[in-house]
Amino acid sequence: MAKRAYNFNAGPAALPLEVLQKAQEQLVEYQGIGMSIMEISHRSSQYEQLNEETQSLMKELFGIPDGYKVLFLQGGGSTQFAMIPMNFLKAGKTAAYVHTGSWADKALKEAKLFGETAVVASSEADKFTKIPDLSGLQLGENTAYLHITSNETIEGSQYQQYPDTGSVPLIVDMSSDILSRPVDISKFAMIYAGAQKNLGPSGVTVVILREDMLEDLPKNIPTMLKYEIHAKNNSLYNTPPVYSVYMVNLVLKWIKENGGLEAMERRNREKADLIYQAIDGSGGFYSGVVDPAYRSIMNITFRMKDEELEKKFVKESEANGFVGLKGHRSVGGLRASTYNAVPYEACKALAEFMADFQKRNS
Ligand SMILES: *Cc1c(COP(=O)(O)O)cnc(C)c1O
């Protein structure tokens, strides 16, 4: 049996061992067809069935009501940053954004290329250690949509509740916490996520879109960037990322076999608690970056008293089988990403390593 690292990578990130083993078993021959899934037409009945089944599993697990489409697109979360304003921001309207950190900022920057935008709430003054309170948010009639970032992967903050936007379409980037906990889908006009954090490998982006969003869209945008085209063609307008969709299919089955989203959330909270307790119980040796009320259960960010010690921590962690604990280069510090597929045992081992490192260095 292969020795698996304690993988805390932020993305691409850990995949469930059972999923990798299933993929290995089916790599050379998929369901008796004498080939791998990568070697057949995307118009074949086998792929069409995989495409349908993956959509159904997503609907079932996530509790997606009727009236939504599940699309499998390419170009990552980053292409959605541009597709959203291209499709939904008309002249004379304003796109509203909540600025919570690095990814929210990237989404906003793309929207500015296409039309009028407004930052309606921001935690920049708090150095992105919080999620702004959106309970009293007033959005003008002219608002095309409100865009939020469910989980800031780099800063380590996460929405604990989503805003109510009435008739204004709410669009959310869930790239780093999709399927980590149950969500009331009916609040959202659109949910999107690059797969490589919590859903599978890179290469596919899942878009969940309320069907009324497909009405009356601009015609003068490139075909591949039109939601309408992908919806009409059931994500088969052009060659889809077949293998990535296949892997997402296996991950969804794994989530189902492991108790669905309630069980994922319970496990994710237990895992994150182990590490937050190691931080909070360290008497200041480690300090959490984010205000405890907004801490992410997916990306745990923390610091130590100086960068030299942080460097030493990363180096020693690597020598002990831990991978991916260095914070994002733009913010420094340390980060443990504890997505669905990261085992409890890995988080327990990290908490123990942290206590041991503290003992040896204080
Ligand atoms: C990783 C990430 C993205 C970007 O995804 P790509 O697929 O690399 O374009 C966008 N938003 C969030 C919150 C992310 O974590």
Side-chain angles (χ1 to χ4, degrees):
M1 175 97 153
K3 179 155 171 30
R4 300 267 294 159
Y6 294 131
N7 184 354
F8 291 96
N9 280 327
L15 288 164
L17 177 60
E18 295 89 335
V19 165
L20 294 170
Q21 286 169 333
K22 183 73 184 174
Q24 183 178 44
E25 182 193 311
Q26 294 188 320
L27 182 64
V28 175
E29 199 201 18
Y30 177 76
Q31 295 185 351
I33 61 173
M35 288 166 272
S36 74
I37 187 77
M38 285 178 278
E39 299 169 285
I40 60 172
S41 168
H42 57 290
R43 312 280 175 207
S44 63
S45 60
Q46 289 90 353
Y47 185 73
E48 287 213 3
Q49 203 244 324
L50 183 75
N51 186 28
E52 291 293 338
E53 186 187 71
T54 312
Q55 291 174 33
S56 309
L57 278 166
M58 182 64 82
K59 287 183 179 164
E60 179 192 335
L61 281 170
F62 215 5
I64 301 173
D66 288 345
Y68 286 80
K69 293 255 189 250
V70 176
L71 308 177
F72 302 125
L73 308 185
Q74 299 191 60
S78 301
T79 298
Q80 295 308 305
F81 295 163
M83 271 177 81
I84 290 163
M86 285 174 105
N87 283 269
F88 304 132
L89 177 52
K90 293 201 175 70
K93 294 269 194 176
T94 300
Y97 281 74
V98 179
H99 189 5
T100 44
S102 307
W103 288 114
D105 190 44
K106 286 199 165 161
L108 171 66
K109 284 207 171 102
E110 289 297 290
K112 282 182 178 165
L113 299 170
F114 297 99
E116 219 37 65
T117 60
V119 174
V120 293
S122 170
S123 54
E124 192 168 15
D126 298 306
K127 298 198 170 73
F128 305 121
T129 58
K130 292 181 196 302
I131 299 290
D133 177 11
L134 302 179
S135 55
L137 189 66
Q138 298 286 333
L139 295 167
E141 250 172 56
N142 236 11
T143 309
Y145 58 81
L146 176 72
H147 180 281
I148 63 171
T149 310
S150 181
N151 183 80
E152 284 285 1
T153 322
I154 293 174
E155 285 80 4
S157 64
Q158 186 176 27
Y159 280 74
Q160 307 303 320
Q161 61 201 43
Y162 295 115
D164 249 314
T165 53
S167 60
V168 173
L170 178 59
I171 298 180
V172 59
D173 177 359
M174 262 191 214
S175 292
S176 51
D177 68 349
I178 191 167
L179 300 189
S180 67
R181 56 182 180 179
V183 165
D184 176 5
I185 306 292
S186 68
K187 277 185 167 251
F188 297 96
M190 174 174 159
I191 296 171
Y192 67 98
Q196 69 272 21
K197 276 102 186 200
N198 224 8
L199 281 180
S202 61
V204 64
T205 305
V206 173
V207 171
I208 299 162
L209 190 59
R210 207 172 60 209
E211 281 164 14
D212 65 291
M213 296 293 284
L214 293 163
E215 287 158 19
D216 191 25
L217 296 179
K219 302 286 172 223
N220 61 335
I221 50 181
T223 309
M224 277 297 288
L225 302 180
K226 283 180 172 159
Y227 291 112
E228 199 185 347
I229 286 286
H230 296 293
K232 250 191 213 149
N233 290 279
N234 199 22
S235 302
L236 287 167
Y237 171 73
N238 74 326
T239 317
V242 169
Y243 202 73
S244 297
V245 173
Y246 162 75
M247 289 294 288
V248 168
N249 179 282
L250 296 185
V251 169
L252 294 174
K253 285 176 180 157
W254 177 85
I255 293 174
K256 192 172 166 180
E257 279 157 20
N258 283 277
L261 297 196
E262 277 88 8
M264 286 299 127
E265 178 172 25
R266 198 175 336 109
R267 252 171 40 103
N268 288 332
R269 289 201 183 281
E270 283 168 9
K271 283 153 46 185
D273 279 349
L274 284 172
I275 299 165
Y276 282 125
Q277 277 165 19
I279 294 167
D280 294 339
S282 72
F285 184 80
Y286 302 107
S287 57
V289 172
V290 171
D291 181 324
Y294 308 100
R295 280 173 166 177
S296 169
I297 56 168
M298 297 276 95
N299 307 99
I300 299 167
T301 48
F302 57 103
R303 305 229 50 155
M304 297 171 70
K305 73 172 190 308
D306 61 61
E307 286 182 17
E308 278 315 302
L309 200 54
E310 289 174 349
K311 265 192 199 142
K312 190 171 180 217
F313 180 93
V314 170
K315 205 165 159 223
E316 284 190 26
S317 73
E318 285 168 356
N320 283 277
F322 297 91
V323 174
L325 292 171
K326 196 164 179 270
H328 191 269
R329 61 188 183 280
S330 62
V331 295
L334 302 156
R335 170 175 60 172
S337 298
T338 53
Y339 301 120
N340 285 350
V342 175
Y344 181 86
E345 293 67 39
C347 298
K348 190 153 174 282
L350 176 57
E352 285 165 7
F353 172 79
M354 287 169 71
D356 185 57
F357 183 84
Q358 182 178 356
K359 227 180 269 163
R360 287 183 285 106
N361 289 279
S362 51

